[in-house]
């Protein structure tokens, strides 16, 4: 992340690095507009690997006039009281985001409570469903 910030984020502060040391430059995280200018190859060069295309797609989605997500809050656009299912469905419209990542974002970034959402990966779900088939019932 430091490489991403130093290459694309605004310089916030330069601190004296001490005797004989280079100054320390502190950069902000890039804005959506700054990230939107980053190409797939540049994300890859920063170590994002196969996820690079997802960052490009996310920027395109969030910048579009009819984005289903508010680009600042990541909550469903135009929905003042979204349910966890509304939030998860909207987040899953971001390229590369499935239910587990949507639940993680909701829990750790959007302030939902652990009682409201529990991120479960596909392997844990498959094991739980095998031992408790009633979990598959609506």
């Amino acid at each position: 992340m430091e490489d991403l910030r130093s290459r694309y984020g605004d310089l916030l502060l330069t601190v004296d690095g001490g005797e004989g040391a280079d100054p320390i430059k502190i950069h902000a995280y890039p804005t959506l507009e700054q990230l939107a200018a980053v190409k797939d190859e540049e994300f890859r060069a920063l170590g994002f690997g196969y996820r690079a295309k997802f960052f490009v797609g996310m920027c395109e989605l969030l910048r579009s006039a009819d984005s289903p997500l508010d680009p600042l809050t990541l909550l469903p656009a135009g929905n003042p009281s979204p349910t966890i299912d509304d939030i998860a469905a909207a987040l899953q419209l971001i390229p590369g985001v499935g239910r587990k990542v949507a639940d993680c974002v909701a829990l750790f970034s959007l302030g939902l409570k652990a009682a409201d959402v529990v991120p479960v990966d596909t392997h844990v779900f498959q094991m739980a469903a095998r031992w408790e088939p009633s979990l598959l019932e609506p």
Side-chain angles (χ1 to χ4, degrees), residues 24-41:
I24 300 168
K25 296 182 178 185
I26 300 171
H27 293 82
Y29 281 97
T31 65
L32 179 57
E33 297 304 319
Q34 290 166 322
L35 284 175
V38 181
K39 305 285 185 253
D40 181 280
E41 313 80 56

Side-chain angles (χ1 to χ4, degrees), residues 18-70:
E19 190 174 323
D22 291 334
I24 300 168
K25 296 182 178 185
I26 300 171
H27 293 82
Y29 281 97
T31 65
L32 179 57
E33 297 304 319
Q34 290 166 322
L35 284 175
V38 181
K39 305 285 185 253
D40 181 280
E41 313 80 56
E42 294 171 277
F43 279 120
R44 287 182 188 278
L46 289 168
F48 285 73
Y50 73 91
R51 295 175 189 89
K53 65 183 175 191
F54 299 139
F55 279 85
V56 171
M58 175 190 66
C59 291
E60 290 172 1
L61 176 74
L62 293 176
R63 291 183 70 223
S64 70
D66 60 346
S67 176
L69 294 167
D70 178 290

Side-chain angles (χ1 to χ4, degrees), residues 100 119-131:
K100 178 187 168 197
V120 177
D121 73 11
T122 186
H123 305 293
V124 171
F125 181 78
Q126 288 171 359
M127 288 186 332
R130 182 172 149 203
W131 291 328

Side-chain angles (χ1 to χ4, degrees), residues 67-70 73-87 89-90:
S67 176
L69 294 167
D70 178 290
T73 65
L74 292 183
L75 291 171
N79 186 345
S81 302
T83 66
I84 180 56
D85 288 331
D86 296 335
I87 293 169

